Coordinates of all heavy atoms in Angstrom, one line a residue:
L1 N -72.1 -41.3 5.5 CA -73.2 -42.3 5.6 C -72.7 -43.6 6.0 O -73.4 -44.3 6.8 CB -73.9 -42.4 4.2 CG -75.1 -43.2 4.1 CD1 -76.2 -42.6 5.0 CD2 -75.6 -43.2 2.7
A2 N -71.6 -44.1 5.6 CA -71.0 -45.4 6.0 C -70.8 -45.4 7.5 O -71.0 -46.4 8.1 CB -69.8 -45.7 5.2
D3 N -70.3 -44.3 8.0 CA -70.0 -44.3 9.5 C -71.3 -44.4 10.3 O -71.3 -45.0 11.4 CB -69.3 -43.0 9.8 CG -67.9 -42.9 9.3 OD1 -67.3 -44.0 9.0 OD2 -67.3 -41.8 9.1
N4 N -72.4 -43.9 9.8 CA -73.7 -43.9 10.5 C -74.3 -45.3 10.5 O -75.1 -45.6 11.4 CB -74.7 -42.9 9.9 CG -74.3 -41.5 10.2 OD1 -73.5 -41.2 11.1 ND2 -74.8 -40.6 9.3
N5 N -73.9 -46.2 9.5 CA -74.6 -47.5 9.4 C -73.6 -48.6 9.6 O -73.9 -49.7 9.1 CB -75.2 -47.5 8.0 CG -76.3 -46.5 7.8 OD1 -77.1 -46.4 8.7 ND2 -76.3 -45.9 6.7
T6 N -72.5 -48.5 10.3 CA -71.6 -49.5 10.4 C -72.2 -50.7 11.2 O -71.8 -51.9 10.9 CB -70.3 -49.1 11.2 OG1 -70.7 -48.5 12.4 CG2 -69.6 -48.1 10.3
G7 N -73.1 -50.5 12.1 CA -73.8 -51.6 12.8 C -75.0 -52.2 12.2 O -75.7 -53.0 12.8
L8 N -75.3 -51.7 11.0 CA -76.6 -52.1 10.3 C -76.5 -53.6 10.0 O -75.6 -54.1 9.3 CB -76.8 -51.3 9.1 CG -78.1 -51.4 8.4 CD1 -79.2 -50.8 9.2 CD2 -78.1 -50.7 7.0
T9 N -77.5 -54.4 10.4 CA -77.6 -55.8 10.1 C -78.8 -56.2 9.4 O -78.9 -57.3 8.8 CB -77.5 -56.7 11.4 OG1 -78.6 -56.3 12.3 CG2 -76.2 -56.4 12.1
H10 N -79.8 -55.4 9.4 CA -81.1 -55.6 8.7 C -81.5 -54.4 7.9 O -81.2 -53.3 8.4 CB -82.3 -55.9 9.6 CG -82.1 -57.1 10.5 ND1 -81.2 -57.1 11.5 CD2 -82.7 -58.3 10.5 CE1 -81.2 -58.3 12.1 NE2 -82.2 -59.0 11.5
F11 N -82.1 -54.6 6.7 CA -82.6 -53.4 6.0 C -83.7 -53.8 5.1 O -83.8 -54.9 4.6 CB -81.5 -52.6 5.3 CG -81.0 -53.2 4.0 CD1 -81.7 -53.0 2.8 CD2 -79.9 -54.0 4.0 CE1 -81.2 -53.6 1.6 CE2 -79.4 -54.6 2.9 CZ -80.0 -54.4 1.7
K12 N -84.6 -52.8 4.8 CA -85.7 -53.0 3.8 C -85.7 -51.7 3.0 O -85.4 -50.6 3.5 CB -87.1 -53.0 4.5 CG -87.3 -54.3 5.3 CD -88.6 -54.2 6.0 CE -88.8 -55.4 6.9 NZ -90.1 -55.3 7.6
V13 N -86.0 -51.8 1.7 CA -85.9 -50.7 0.8 C -86.9 -50.9 -0.3 O -87.2 -52.0 -0.8 CB -84.5 -50.5 0.2 CG1 -84.1 -51.6 -0.7 CG2 -84.4 -49.2 -0.6
L14 N -87.6 -49.8 -0.8 CA -88.4 -49.7 -2.0 C -87.6 -48.8 -2.9 O -87.1 -47.8 -2.5 CB -89.8 -49.1 -1.7 CG -90.7 -50.0 -0.9 CD1 -92.0 -49.2 -0.6 CD2 -91.1 -51.2 -1.8
G15 N -87.6 -49.2 -4.2 CA -86.9 -48.4 -5.1 C -87.4 -48.6 -6.6 O -88.2 -49.4 -6.8
H16 N -86.8 -47.8 -7.5 CA -87.0 -47.9 -8.9 C -85.8 -48.6 -9.5 O -84.7 -48.4 -9.1 CB -87.3 -46.6 -9.5 CG -88.5 -45.9 -9.0 ND1 -89.7 -46.2 -9.6 CD2 -88.7 -45.0 -8.0 CE1 -90.7 -45.5 -8.9 NE2 -90.1 -44.8 -8.0
I17 N -86.1 -49.4 -10.6 CA -85.0 -50.1 -11.2 C -85.1 -49.9 -12.7 O -86.2 -49.7 -13.3 CB -85.0 -51.6 -10.9 CG1 -83.8 -52.3 -11.4 CG2 -86.3 -52.3 -11.4 CD1 -83.6 -53.7 -10.8
R18 N -84.0 -49.9 -13.4 CA -84.0 -49.8 -14.9 C -83.0 -50.9 -15.4 O -81.8 -50.9 -15.0 CB -83.5 -48.4 -15.3 CG -83.4 -48.3 -16.8 CD -82.9 -46.9 -17.2 NE -82.6 -46.8 -18.6 CZ -83.5 -46.4 -19.5 NH1 -84.7 -46.0 -19.2 NH2 -83.1 -46.4 -20.8
M19 N -83.5 -51.8 -16.3 CA -82.6 -52.8 -16.8 C -82.6 -52.6 -18.4 O -83.7 -52.4 -18.9 CB -83.1 -54.2 -16.5 CG -83.0 -54.5 -15.0 SD -83.6 -56.1 -14.5 CE -82.9 -57.2 -15.7
E20 N -81.5 -52.6 -18.9 CA -81.3 -52.4 -20.4 C -80.8 -53.7 -21.0 O -79.9 -54.4 -20.5 CB -80.4 -51.3 -20.7 CG -81.0 -49.9 -20.2 CD -80.1 -48.8 -20.6 OE1 -79.2 -48.9 -21.5 OE2 -80.2 -47.7 -19.9
S21 N -81.3 -54.0 -22.2 CA -80.8 -55.1 -23.0 C -80.9 -54.7 -24.5 O -81.3 -53.6 -24.8 CB -81.7 -56.4 -22.8 OG -83.0 -56.2 -23.3
E22 N -80.6 -55.6 -25.4 CA -80.6 -55.4 -26.8 C -82.1 -55.1 -27.3 O -82.3 -54.4 -28.2 CB -80.1 -56.5 -27.6 CG -78.6 -56.7 -27.4 CD -78.0 -57.9 -28.1 OE1 -78.8 -58.6 -28.8 OE2 -76.8 -58.2 -28.0
E23 N -83.1 -55.7 -26.5 CA -84.5 -55.5 -26.9 C -85.0 -54.1 -26.4 O -86.1 -53.7 -26.8 CB -85.3 -56.6 -26.3 CG -85.1 -57.9 -27.0 CD -84.0 -58.7 -26.3 OE1 -83.7 -58.4 -25.1 OE2 -83.3 -59.5 -27.0
G24 N -84.3 -53.5 -25.5 CA -84.7 -52.2 -25.0 C -84.6 -52.1 -23.5 O -84.0 -53.0 -22.9
A25 N -85.1 -51.1 -22.9 CA -85.1 -50.9 -21.5 C -86.4 -51.2 -20.8 O -87.5 -51.0 -21.4 CB -84.7 -49.4 -21.2
R26 N -86.3 -51.7 -19.6 CA -87.5 -52.0 -18.8 C -87.3 -51.3 -17.4 O -86.2 -51.3 -16.9 CB -87.6 -53.5 -18.5 CG -88.0 -54.2 -19.7 CD -88.4 -55.7 -19.4 NE -88.8 -56.4 -20.6 CZ -90.0 -56.8 -20.8 NH1 -90.9 -56.7 -19.8 NH2 -90.3 -57.5 -21.9
T27 N -88.3 -50.7 -17.0 CA -88.3 -50.0 -15.7 C -89.4 -50.5 -14.8 O -90.4 -51.1 -15.3 CB -88.4 -48.5 -15.8 OG1 -89.7 -48.2 -16.4 CG2 -87.3 -47.9 -16.7
G28 N -89.2 -50.4 -13.5 CA -90.2 -50.8 -12.6 C -89.8 -50.5 -11.1 O -88.9 -49.8 -10.9
R29 N -90.6 -51.0 -10.2 CA -90.4 -50.8 -8.8 C -89.9 -52.2 -8.2 O -90.4 -53.2 -8.6 CB -91.7 -50.4 -8.1 CG -92.1 -49.0 -8.4 CD -93.3 -48.5 -7.7 NE -93.0 -48.7 -6.2 CZ -94.0 -48.9 -5.3 NH1 -95.2 -48.9 -5.7 NH2 -93.7 -49.0 -4.1
V30 N -89.1 -52.1 -7.2 CA -88.6 -53.2 -6.5 C -88.7 -53.0 -5.0 O -88.6 -51.9 -4.5 CB -87.1 -53.6 -6.9 CG1 -87.0 -54.0 -8.3 CG2 -86.2 -52.4 -6.6
A31 N -88.8 -54.2 -4.3 CA -88.8 -54.2 -2.9 C -87.7 -55.1 -2.5 O -87.6 -56.2 -3.1 CB -90.1 -54.7 -2.3
M32 N -86.8 -54.7 -1.6 CA -85.7 -55.6 -1.2 C -85.6 -55.6 0.3 O -85.9 -54.6 1.0 CB -84.4 -55.1 -1.7 CG -84.2 -55.2 -3.2 SD -82.7 -54.6 -4.0 CE -81.5 -54.6 -2.7
A33 N -85.2 -56.7 0.8 CA -84.9 -56.9 2.3 C -83.7 -57.8 2.4 O -83.5 -58.7 1.6 CB -86.1 -57.5 3.0
A34 N -82.9 -57.5 3.4 CA -81.7 -58.3 3.7 C -81.3 -58.3 5.1 O -81.7 -57.5 5.9 CB -80.5 -57.6 2.9
V35 N -80.7 -59.4 5.5 CA -80.0 -59.6 6.8 C -78.6 -59.9 6.5 O -78.3 -60.9 5.8 CB -80.7 -60.8 7.6 CG1 -80.0 -61.0 8.9 CG2 -82.2 -60.6 7.8
V36 N -77.7 -59.0 6.9 CA -76.3 -59.1 6.6 C -75.7 -60.3 7.4 O -76.1 -60.4 8.6 CB -75.6 -57.8 7.0 CG1 -74.1 -57.8 6.8 CG2 -76.2 -56.6 6.2
P37 N -74.9 -61.1 6.8 CA -74.2 -61.0 5.6 C -74.8 -61.8 4.4 O -74.4 -61.6 3.3 CB -72.8 -61.5 5.9 CG -73.0 -62.6 6.8 CD -74.2 -62.2 7.7
H38 N -75.7 -62.8 4.7 CA -76.0 -63.7 3.6 C -77.5 -63.7 3.1 O -77.7 -64.4 2.1 CB -75.7 -65.1 4.1 CG -74.2 -65.3 4.3 ND1 -73.3 -65.2 3.4 CD2 -73.6 -65.6 5.5 CE1 -72.1 -65.4 3.9 NE2 -72.2 -65.7 5.1
K39 N -78.4 -63.1 3.8 CA -79.8 -63.3 3.3 C -80.3 -62.1 2.5 O -80.1 -60.9 3.0 CB -80.7 -63.5 4.5 CG -80.5 -64.9 5.2 CD -81.5 -65.1 6.2 CE -81.2 -66.5 6.9 NZ -82.2 -66.8 7.9
L40 N -80.9 -62.3 1.4 CA -81.4 -61.2 0.5 C -82.6 -61.7 -0.2 O -82.7 -62.8 -0.7 CB -80.3 -60.8 -0.5 CG -80.8 -59.8 -1.6 CD1 -80.9 -58.4 -1.0 CD2 -79.8 -59.8 -2.7
R41 N -83.6 -60.8 -0.3 CA -84.8 -61.0 -1.1 C -85.1 -59.8 -1.9 O -85.0 -58.7 -1.3 CB -86.0 -61.4 -0.3 CG -87.2 -61.7 -1.1 CD -88.4 -62.0 -0.3 NE -89.5 -62.1 -1.2 CZ -90.4 -63.1 -1.2 NH1 -90.3 -64.1 -0.3 NH2 -91.4 -63.1 -2.0
A42 N -85.4 -59.9 -3.2 CA -85.7 -58.8 -4.0 C -87.0 -59.2 -4.9 O -87.0 -60.3 -5.4 CB -84.6 -58.4 -5.0
D43 N -88.0 -58.3 -4.9 CA -89.2 -58.6 -5.7 C -89.4 -57.5 -6.7 O -89.3 -56.3 -6.3 CB -90.4 -58.6 -4.7 CG -90.4 -59.8 -3.8 OD1 -90.0 -60.9 -4.2 OD2 -90.8 -59.6 -2.6
W44 N -89.6 -57.8 -7.9 CA -90.0 -56.9 -9.0 C -91.5 -56.7 -8.8 O -92.3 -57.7 -8.9 CB -89.6 -57.4 -10.3 CG -89.8 -56.3 -11.4 CD1 -90.9 -55.7 -11.8 CD2 -88.7 -55.8 -12.2 NE1 -90.6 -54.9 -12.8 CE2 -89.3 -54.9 -13.1 CE3 -87.3 -56.0 -12.2 CZ2 -88.5 -54.2 -14.0 CZ3 -86.6 -55.3 -13.2 CH2 -87.2 -54.4 -14.0
L45 N -92.0 -55.5 -8.6 CA -93.5 -55.3 -8.3 C -94.3 -54.9 -9.5 O -93.8 -54.1 -10.3 CB -93.6 -54.3 -7.2 CG -92.8 -54.6 -5.9 CD1 -92.9 -53.4 -5.0 CD2 -93.2 -55.9 -5.3
N46 N -95.6 -55.3 -9.5 CA -96.5 -54.8 -10.5 C -97.1 -53.4 -10.1 O -96.7 -52.9 -9.0 CB -97.6 -55.8 -10.9 CG -98.5 -56.1 -9.7 OD1 -98.6 -55.4 -8.7 ND2 -99.3 -57.1 -9.9
M47 N -98.0 -52.9 -10.8 CA -98.6 -51.6 -10.4 C -99.4 -51.6 -9.1 O -99.5 -50.6 -8.5 CB -99.5 -51.1 -11.6 CG -98.7 -50.8 -12.8 SD -99.8 -50.3 -14.2 CE -100.5 -48.8 -13.5
M48 N -99.8 -52.8 -8.8 CA -100.6 -53.0 -7.5 C -99.7 -53.2 -6.3 O -100.1 -53.4 -5.2 CB -101.6 -54.1 -7.6 CG -102.6 -53.9 -8.7 SD -103.7 -52.6 -8.4 CE -104.6 -53.3 -7.0
G49 N -98.4 -53.4 -6.6 CA -97.4 -53.6 -5.5 C -97.2 -55.1 -5.2 O -96.6 -55.5 -4.2
Q50 N -97.8 -56.0 -6.0 CA -97.6 -57.4 -5.9 C -96.4 -57.9 -6.7 O -96.1 -57.4 -7.7 CB -98.9 -58.2 -6.3 CG -100.1 -57.7 -5.6 CD -101.4 -58.2 -6.2 OE1 -101.4 -58.3 -7.4 NE2 -102.4 -58.5 -5.4
P51 N -95.7 -59.0 -6.2 CA -94.5 -59.4 -6.9 C -94.8 -60.0 -8.3 O -95.7 -60.8 -8.4 CB -93.9 -60.5 -6.0 CG -94.6 -60.4 -4.7 CD -95.9 -59.7 -4.9
L52 N -94.0 -59.6 -9.3 CA -94.1 -60.2 -10.6 C -93.1 -61.3 -10.7 O -93.3 -62.3 -11.3 CB -93.7 -59.1 -11.7 CG -94.8 -58.0 -11.9 CD1 -94.2 -57.0 -12.8 CD2 -96.0 -58.7 -12.6
T53 N -92.0 -61.1 -10.1 CA -90.9 -62.2 -9.9 C -90.1 -61.9 -8.7 O -90.1 -60.8 -8.2 CB -90.0 -62.3 -11.2 OG1 -89.2 -63.4 -11.1 CG2 -89.2 -61.0 -11.3
S54 N -89.6 -63.0 -8.1 CA -88.9 -62.8 -6.8 C -87.5 -63.6 -6.9 O -87.4 -64.6 -7.5 CB -89.7 -63.5 -5.7 OG -90.9 -62.8 -5.5
L55 N -86.6 -63.0 -6.3 CA -85.2 -63.6 -6.2 C -84.9 -63.6 -4.7 O -85.1 -62.6 -4.0 CB -84.2 -62.7 -6.9 CG -82.8 -63.2 -6.8 CD1 -82.1 -63.1 -8.2 CD2 -82.0 -62.4 -5.8
A56 N -84.4 -64.7 -4.2 CA -84.0 -64.8 -2.8 C -82.7 -65.6 -2.7 O -82.5 -66.6 -3.5 CB -85.1 -65.5 -2.0
G57 N -81.8 -65.2 -1.8 CA -80.6 -65.9 -1.6 C -80.3 -66.1 -0.1 O -80.6 -65.2 0.7
D58 N -79.7 -67.2 0.3 CA -79.3 -67.4 1.7 C -77.9 -67.6 1.9 O -77.5 -68.1 3.0 CB -80.2 -68.5 2.3 CG -79.9 -69.9 1.6 OD1 -79.0 -69.9 0.8 OD2 -80.6 -70.8 1.9
G59 N -77.0 -67.3 1.0 CA -75.6 -67.6 1.1 C -75.2 -68.9 0.5 O -74.0 -69.1 0.3
E60 N -76.1 -69.8 0.3 CA -75.8 -71.1 -0.2 C -76.6 -71.4 -1.5 O -76.1 -72.1 -2.3 CB -76.1 -72.2 0.8 CG -75.2 -72.1 2.1 CD -75.6 -73.2 3.1 OE1 -76.4 -74.1 2.8 OE2 -75.0 -73.1 4.2
T61 N -77.8 -70.9 -1.6 CA -78.7 -71.1 -2.7 C -79.3 -69.8 -3.2 O -79.7 -69.0 -2.4 CB -79.8 -72.1 -2.2 OG1 -79.3 -73.2 -1.6 CG2 -80.7 -72.5 -3.4
I62 N -79.5 -69.7 -4.5 CA -80.2 -68.6 -5.1 C -81.5 -69.2 -5.7 O -81.4 -70.2 -6.4 CB -79.4 -67.9 -6.1 CG1 -78.2 -67.2 -5.5 CG2 -80.3 -66.8 -6.8 CD1 -77.3 -66.6 -6.5
R63 N -82.7 -68.6 -5.3 CA -83.9 -69.1 -5.9 C -84.6 -67.9 -6.6 O -84.7 -66.8 -6.1 CB -84.8 -69.5 -4.7 CG -84.3 -70.7 -4.0 CD -85.2 -71.0 -2.8 NE -84.7 -72.1 -2.0 CZ -83.7 -72.1 -1.1 NH1 -83.2 -70.9 -0.8 NH2 -83.4 -73.2 -0.5
I64 N -85.2 -68.2 -7.8 CA -85.9 -67.3 -8.5 C -87.3 -67.9 -8.9 O -87.4 -69.0 -9.4 CB -85.2 -66.9 -9.9 CG1 -83.9 -66.2 -9.5 CG2 -86.1 -66.0 -10.7 CD1 -83.1 -65.9 -10.8
W65 N -88.3 -67.2 -8.5 CA -89.7 -67.6 -8.8 C -90.1 -67.0 -10.1 O -90.0 -65.8 -10.3 CB -90.7 -67.2 -7.7 CG -92.1 -67.5 -8.0 CD1 -92.7 -68.7 -8.1 CD2 -93.1 -66.5 -8.4 NE1 -94.0 -68.6 -8.5 CE2 -94.2 -67.2 -8.7 CE3 -93.1 -65.2 -8.5 CZ2 -95.4 -66.6 -9.0 CZ3 -94.2 -64.5 -8.9 CH2 -95.4 -65.3 -9.2
S66 N -90.5 -67.8 -11.0 CA -91.0 -67.3 -12.3 C -92.5 -67.5 -12.5 O -93.0 -68.6 -12.4 CB -90.3 -68.2 -13.4 OG -90.8 -67.9 -14.7
P67 N -93.2 -66.3 -12.7 CA -94.6 -66.4 -12.8 C -95.0 -67.1 -14.1 O -96.1 -67.6 -14.2 CB -95.1 -65.0 -12.8 CG -93.9 -64.2 -13.2 CD -92.7 -65.0 -12.8
S68 N -94.2 -67.1 -15.2 CA -94.6 -67.6 -16.4 C -94.8 -69.1 -16.4 O -95.7 -69.6 -17.1 CB -93.5 -67.3 -17.5 OG -92.3 -67.9 -17.2
D69 N -94.1 -69.8 -15.5 CA -94.3 -71.3 -15.4 C -94.6 -71.7 -14.0 O -94.7 -72.9 -13.7 CB -93.1 -72.1 -15.9 CG -91.8 -71.7 -15.2 OD1 -91.8 -70.9 -14.3 OD2 -90.7 -72.2 -15.7
S70 N -94.8 -70.7 -13.1 CA -95.1 -71.0 -11.6 C -94.1 -71.9 -11.0 O -94.6 -72.8 -10.2 CB -96.5 -71.4 -11.5 OG -97.4 -70.4 -11.9
K71 N -92.9 -71.8 -11.3 CA -91.9 -72.7 -10.7 C -90.8 -71.9 -10.0 O -90.6 -70.7 -10.3 CB -91.2 -73.6 -11.8 CG -92.1 -74.6 -12.4 CD -91.3 -75.4 -13.4 CE -92.2 -76.5 -14.0 NZ -91.5 -77.3 -15.0
I72 N -90.1 -72.6 -9.1 CA -89.0 -72.0 -8.4 C -87.7 -72.6 -9.1 O -87.6 -73.8 -9.1 CB -89.0 -72.2 -6.9 CG1 -90.2 -71.5 -6.3 CG2 -87.7 -71.8 -6.3 CD1 -90.4 -71.8 -4.8
H73 N -86.9 -71.7 -9.6 CA -85.6 -72.2 -10.2 C -84.5 -72.0 -9.1 O -84.5 -70.9 -8.5 CB -85.3 -71.4 -11.4 CG -86.4 -71.4 -12.4 ND1 -86.5 -72.5 -13.3 CD2 -87.5 -70.7 -12.7 CE1 -87.5 -72.3 -14.1 NE2 -88.2 -71.2 -13.7
R74 N -83.7 -73.0 -8.9 CA -82.7 -73.0 -7.8 C -81.3 -73.2 -8.3 O -81.1 -74.1 -9.1 CB -83.1 -74.1 -6.8 CG -82.3 -74.1 -5.6 CD -82.9 -75.2 -4.6 NE -84.3 -74.8 -4.4 CZ -85.2 -75.7 -3.9 NH1 -84.8 -76.9 -3.6 NH2 -86.4 -75.3 -3.7
W75 N -80.4 -72.4 -7.8 CA -79.0 -72.6 -8.1 C -78.2 -72.7 -6.8 O -78.5 -71.9 -5.9 CB -78.4 -71.4 -8.9 CG -79.0 -71.3 -10.3 CD1 -78.5 -71.9 -11.4 CD2 -80.1 -70.6 -10.8 NE1 -79.3 -71.6 -12.5 CE2 -80.3 -70.8 -12.1 CE3 -81.0 -69.7 -10.1 CZ2 -81.3 -70.2 -12.9 CZ3 -82.1 -69.2 -10.8 CH2 -82.2 -69.4 -12.2
F76 N -77.3 -73.6 -6.8 CA -76.4 -73.7 -5.6 C -75.1 -73.0 -5.8 O -74.5 -73.0 -6.9 CB -76.1 -75.2 -5.3 CG -77.4 -75.9 -4.9 CD1 -78.0 -76.7 -5.9 CD2 -77.9 -75.9 -3.6 CE1 -79.2 -77.4 -5.5 CE2 -79.0 -76.6 -3.3 CZ -79.7 -77.3 -4.3
I77 N -74.7 -72.2 -4.8 CA -73.5 -71.4 -4.9 C -72.3 -72.3 -4.4 O -72.3 -72.8 -3.3 CB -73.6 -70.2 -4.0 CG1 -74.8 -69.4 -4.4 CG2 -72.4 -69.3 -4.0 CD1 -75.2 -68.3 -3.4
C78 N -71.3 -72.3 -5.2 CA -70.0 -73.0 -4.9 C -68.9 -72.0 -4.8 O -68.7 -71.3 -5.7 CB -69.7 -74.1 -5.9 SG -71.0 -75.3 -6.1
F79 N -68.2 -72.0 -3.7 CA -67.0 -71.2 -3.6 C -65.7 -71.9 -3.7 O -65.6 -73.0 -3.4 CB -67.0 -70.5 -2.2 CG -68.2 -69.5 -2.0 CD1 -69.3 -69.8 -1.3 CD2 -68.1 -68.3 -2.6 CE1 -70.4 -68.9 -1.2 CE2 -69.2 -67.4 -2.5 CZ -70.3 -67.7 -1.8

């Protein structure tokens, strides 16, 4: 599979996710898109396919949109 995708620079994917914590497990659907090497976006989707929360990164900044307070939280990446 790796040999078939060595030139891959863009991708989109729909999938299922499971996250576990002390409070229990949460499952759901996610949509992801990326442009190699630095751009990534991931959305946790509701039953209608609309984003519940979104995470995006561009190699310098990570942004998370939170629906609970309708704000974008931003972190700068330092190497």
Side-chain angles (χ1 to χ4, degrees):
L1 186 62
D3 290 339
N4 292 337
N5 294 317
T6 56
L8 189 67
T9 59
H10 298 71
F11 73 86
K12 296 178 185 178
V13 64
L14 287 173
H16 293 276
I17 190 168
R18 177 182 171 94
M19 293 178 48
E20 296 184 18
S21 68
E22 293 177 2
E23 292 86 28
R26 292 187 178 246
T27 60
R29 290 185 54 206
V30 293
M32 291 180 20
V35 178
V36 177
H38 296 299
K39 293 185 179 183
L40 171 72
R41 180 179 174 135
D43 294 322
W44 191 295
L45 305 175
N46 66 13
M47 292 177 64
M48 300 292 292
Q50 300 166 328
L52 290 170
T53 190
S54 297
L55 177 138
D58 62 6
E60 296 177 6
T61 308
I62 296 173
R63 294 172 182 88
I64 297 177
W65 173 72
S66 172
S68 62
D69 57 7
S70 295
K71 290 185 180 179
I72 296 176
H73 304 276
R74 187 173 303 161
W75 291 273
F76 294 98
I77 302 169
C78 299
F79 293 103

